[in-house]
Amino acid sequence: MAVEFAIVGPRAAGMGGAGVAVTTDALATYWNPAGLAMTQAVDIRAVVTGQAIDRGDVRETLKDIENFRTPDPTRAQELADRINRGTVSGIAAGGLYAKGHFGEHAFGFNVSDVATAGAFVDPSNQFRQTGGSVQGAFLLRGLEARQAAFSYAYAFADKTFAIGVTGKIIQGAAYAGSVGVSGGQDVNLTDNFGKAKISTTYGVDVGAIYQPSSWLRVAVVAKDLNQPEFDAPDGSQYKLNPQVRGGVAVKPWSTLTLAADVDVTSNKTFVPGVKSQVIGLGAEQTILSEFLSFRVGAFKNMQDAASPFTPTAGFGIRIFALRVDVGGGYDFRERGALASGSVSLTF
């Protein structure tokens, strides 16, 4: 199985998940290594990002089941029917990212952890009404990709074209757990992923950027081209299939950036039957020589026709070399949330 393309960093989080064409700071080691060569700067940043998607109001239904203490067959069946339609996905990323340059040669490095997970109803133990109460079980799957990544990028023809490559040493921590749920009992999905199975491999990402003019940039990145595999606790393997994402950035004037990203590939997830292919749109307006940056955007999973666009927003403040940025979004229907923050030094 593959995983979703994680939104990493508050700038992309505020701009609807668009980062392939606009990211030229140290986070380009994740988004698109070619971006490292588009600016000559030293950049160091600490970043944390989290995203959760609750399909079918699982969290609130679990609370109702926990509070279910008086036998009621009709109510129990209602809760069982509701939670059997629900799934939960989670994505988290955090780490330290850095970039530098030597002439036209750009270099990047990060030590980071990108974690993805899913919770879904056990097909062999679906929720049902039993004795006036409700019972069933969830299966839990997850993978932490703990990595040390090294990137190199070079820009040609006065930065008209840039290419980059990232090599990653990845320690995979794979999880496979389950949890039974009964009416009147407390349950916490995150406490039941079980013991991790550890294995180590490597990954390769490549990216390119074409900038025919100062106001237009087109980019593409391909991640995990070698299809890294990790041993899972249940004896299976988790394979990261290649992901390809394209992006475009337009600057109508020097302080405004418009950006769009789209997943070229349709990515499987840890939830059976749920795929991820995201389109994201965003804008950033800076004022007072980037002292303040304001961002808005939205993103949507094109593999789920019924899902709405999730609105996002964020802002940043720069004081000399120090930058602080925050961003996030919220899906008011599925109650999915995205949040990110970073602190950085740029010279």
Side-chain angles (χ1 to χ4, degrees):
M1 59 186 68
V3 295
E4 293 104 317
F5 197 111
I7 298 173
V8 176
R11 188 186 187 202
M15 297 175 69
V20 171
V22 298
T23 305
T24 60
D25 54 39
L27 283 174
T29 58
Y30 172 82
W31 280 100
N32 183 354
L36 295 169
M38 301 306 291
T39 60
Q40 291 186 331
V42 175
D43 185 67
I44 304 169
R45 59 188 58 216
V47 178
V48 61
T49 304
Q51 182 178 0
I53 304 171
D54 183 349
R55 306 176 188 90
D57 208 9
V58 171
R59 185 174 64 89
E60 290 299 322
T61 306
L62 283 175
K63 287 184 178 180
D64 290 341
I65 293 175
E66 290 174 3
N67 295 327
F68 189 90
R69 302 185 186 279
T70 302
D72 184 341
T74 301
R75 175 62 171 162
Q77 189 60 53
E78 176 190 333
L79 292 174
D81 292 341
R82 190 200 308 172
I83 203 165
N84 280 331
R85 297 190 295 266
T87 64
V88 178
S89 295
I91 306 172
L96 182 66
Y97 301 77
K99 68 164 283 188
H101 66 94
F102 185 76
E104 296 298 319
H105 302 272
F107 304 89
F109 172 76
N110 77 62
V111 178
S112 60
D113 188 345
V114 179
T116 53
F120 52 95
V121 175
D122 185 349
S124 63
N125 190 11
Q126 291 189 325
F127 284 80
R128 62 203 179 279
Q129 184 275 130
T130 303
S133 186
V134 59
Q135 292 183 338
F138 269 91
L139 297 181
L140 312 172
R141 300 290 183 266
L143 175 67
E144 288 183 71
R146 306 163 179 170
Q147 52 195 284
F150 304 84
S151 302
Y152 169 77
Y154 186 80
F156 303 86
D158 195 27
K159 301 190 187 302
T160 299
F161 182 71
I163 58 174
V165 60
T166 297
K168 304 176 289 188
I169 302 172
I170 309 173
Q171 182 190 73
Y175 301 85
S178 63
V179 57
V181 180
S182 298
Q185 296 183 0
D186 294 339
V187 61
N188 189 329
L189 298 181
T190 58
D191 291 340
N192 290 276
F193 275 88
K195 185 178 180 181
K197 177 77 172 181
I198 305 296
S199 56
T200 302
T201 185
Y202 70 96
V204 177
D205 305 341
V206 298
I209 290 177
Y210 176 55
Q211 183 172 270
S213 66
S214 61
W215 59 271
L216 176 64
R217 187 183 296 165
V218 181
V220 64
V221 65
K223 299 176 70 69
D224 297 316
L225 290 177
N226 61 314
Q227 302 184 65
E229 295 184 352
F230 305 95
D231 297 330
D234 59 4
S236 65
Q237 287 192 318
Y238 295 161
K239 177 192 290 187
L240 302 185
N241 293 329
Q243 298 174 322
V244 180
R245 176 176 278 212
V248 61
V250 177
K251 293 181 73 71
W253 53 86
S254 61
T255 61
L256 175 65
T257 301
L258 307 177
D261 273 16
V262 61
D263 285 328
V264 179
T265 52
S266 175
N267 306 313
K268 295 181 181 178
T269 74
F270 279 109
V271 177
V274 175
K275 292 185 177 181
S276 173
Q277 189 172 17
V278 173
I279 181 171
L281 310 169
E284 177 186 59
Q285 176 68 59
T286 63
I287 62 174
L288 302 176
S289 298
E290 296 188 5
F291 171 67
L292 291 173
S293 301
F294 298 96
R295 305 167 185 124
V296 295
F299 65 90
K300 172 182 170 60
N301 182 5
M302 297 184 295
Q303 288 291 321
D304 183 1
S307 70
F309 272 91
T310 298
T312 66
F315 71 91
I317 183 170
R318 188 187 74 172
I319 303 176
F320 300 108
L322 176 66
R323 289 194 62 100
V324 178
D325 294 274
V326 295
Y330 189 76
D331 179 348
F332 291 90
R333 196 188 73 180
E334 300 289 355
R335 301 191 181 183
L338 166 68
S340 182
S342 73
V343 177
S344 61
L345 293 171
T346 305
F347 306 94

